[in-house]
Amino acid sequence: MRNLWRFISNYNAFFLFIIFFTTSIILLVRNNDFQRASSLNSSNQIIGNIYNQVNSITKYLHLDVVNDSLAKENARLRNMLPSSFFSDSLKTKLIKDTIHRVQYQYIEAEVINKTVTSRNNYLTINKGSVHGIKKGMGVIGPSGVVGIVWNVSPDFASIQSVLHEDTRITSSIAGTPYFGPLMWNGKDPNIVTLSDIPNQLHIKKGMKVITSGLGRIFPKGIAVGSIVASGIKGGGNFMDINVNLATDFYSLQHVYVIKNFFAEEQATLEAQNKESINE
């Protein structure tokens, strides 16, 4: 306490100056409209800047929550797309009875592990059989195709990436009826090859490549990528086309697993066709 009083007595002139200066500022602001408005504007500006900085930090700290909510919202919106419904229409001259049944459901999941630069690449997601995921389901990302579900546990699933030597996804060039298998050559993780496209087709760089809708895995029209180059196989009638993938596997964080409610029915019917041929 003695040291405190000694400190105050040594610097009493300074403290008196602070007290008188503060008092004069308060009196000036209270009794002068212009100074009061100016001081309020200045303080509001300072406080506003502080709030803005705090808000920026808070938003950064909550990016994971925002990403998760956006991914769930995207899944909900995809489930509402016309391509997710099966058109079951009965038409006669007098009656048109149309019922739209859901054919595709999109299940949102987070990528928790992945490889990109291996010869055969896989991803692991945090959803499994308890969430309705089964082996063979298609998987897409926010930008385009990702791969096919390979193995499933109750809470997790592994995905065979497009960047795998055994992955084949039937794709077509947008605006044309031509389709072929899409595959990766194991080199550039951004480039895949679309094969068996007739060489009479006039190919232009930048043309879009999409899923064909053939098979039971992907609905028609999911983005695959864009054409970067094409080449005719030695004297044949078909050509290979290099496609720049729409999906960036390095930055991929969220995916959507596609559940086709009619897949088993279609598979059963097609199996019967094969049995009839073998009889």
Side-chain angles (χ1 to χ4, degrees):
M1 180 63 71
R2 182 181 304 173
N3 291 334
L4 177 61
W5 284 111
R6 183 180 301 171
F7 175 78
I8 294 174
S9 63
N10 290 336
Y11 295 95
N12 59 355
F14 174 76
F15 289 117
L16 287 173
F17 169 77
I18 293 297
I19 293 171
F20 290 141
F21 180 78
T22 303
T23 303
S24 63
I25 292 296
I26 293 173
L27 292 174
L28 179 65
V29 170
R30 282 185 176 179
N31 297 292
N32 191 297
D33 292 338
F34 177 76
Q35 273 77 14
R36 183 166 60 252
S38 298
S39 62
L40 288 174
N41 288 336
S42 299
S43 61
N44 287 339
Q45 180 68 25
I46 294 171
I47 294 172
N49 287 332
I50 294 173
Y51 284 159
N52 188 48
Q53 294 299 322
V54 172
N55 184 55
S56 297
I57 296 172
T58 303
K59 286 195 297 183
Y60 178 79
L61 294 176
H62 291 84
L63 277 179
D64 288 342
V65 177
V66 173
N67 286 338
D68 289 342
S69 64
L70 288 175
K72 289 181 174 62
E73 179 66 9
N74 285 338
R76 187 184 70 83
L77 293 175
R78 284 185 179 276
N79 289 329
M80 296 171 61
L81 289 174
S83 59
S84 297
F85 293 86
F86 178 78
S87 180
D88 188 5
S89 300
L90 175 63
K91 295 181 180 179
T92 68
K93 291 182 179 179
L94 300 177
I95 301 174
K96 180 180 179 182
D97 182 15
T98 302
I99 302 174
H100 290 291
R101 292 185 288 163
V102 175
Q103 181 173 3
Y104 295 102
Q105 179 187 10
Y106 295 84
I107 305 170
E108 177 270 333
E110 183 179 353
V111 177
I112 59 174
N113 196 15
K114 63 183 173 182
T115 60
V116 178
T117 58
S118 301
R119 173 65 184 180
N120 295 314
N121 294 283
Y122 292 90
L123 303 93
T124 304
I125 60 175
N126 64 346
K127 296 289 175 67
S129 59
V130 297
H131 306 96
I133 295 176
K134 297 180 180 180
K135 182 176 180 178
M137 289 182 173
V139 183
I140 63 174
S143 302
V145 294
V146 170
I148 300 170
V149 174
W150 185 245
N151 285 311
V152 182
S153 69
D155 298 300
F156 302 96
S158 62
I159 300 166
Q160 182 174 294
S161 168
V162 172
L163 306 179
H164 190 293
E165 62 181 356
D166 294 332
T167 302
R168 300 288 185 273
I169 297 176
T170 306
S171 305
S172 61
I173 300 171
T176 76
Y178 303 109
F179 61 90
L182 189 84
M183 61 193 76
W184 186 51
N185 63 7
K187 298 178 181 178
D188 188 340
N190 297 308
I191 303 296
V192 291
T193 302
L194 178 61
S195 302
D196 299 337
I197 300 299
N199 58 25
Q200 70 265 23
L201 184 64
H202 184 58
I203 299 298
K204 293 182 180 179
K205 182 178 180 180
M207 294 179 72
K208 301 300 180 183
V209 177
I210 58 176
T211 53
S212 66
L214 300 175
R216 303 183 297 271
I217 300 177
F218 295 97
K220 183 177 181 179
I222 300 295
V224 173
S226 57
I227 294 174
V228 292
S230 65
I232 299 175
K233 292 181 179 180
N237 296 321
F238 300 93
M239 59 181 166
D240 292 339
I241 299 172
N242 287 339
V243 178
N244 186 37
L245 281 172
T247 298
D248 180 0
F249 283 87
Y250 286 103
S251 62
L252 185 64
Q253 296 181 341
H254 289 87
V255 296
Y256 305 94
V257 182
I258 304 173
K259 182 177 182 179
N260 182 356
F261 289 102
F262 298 159
E264 292 185 7
E265 180 182 346
Q266 183 178 345
T268 301
L269 178 64
E270 292 173 351
Q272 292 174 355
N273 293 338
K274 293 180 180 178
E275 293 175 0
S276 299
I277 295 174
N278 293 330
E279 290 179 354

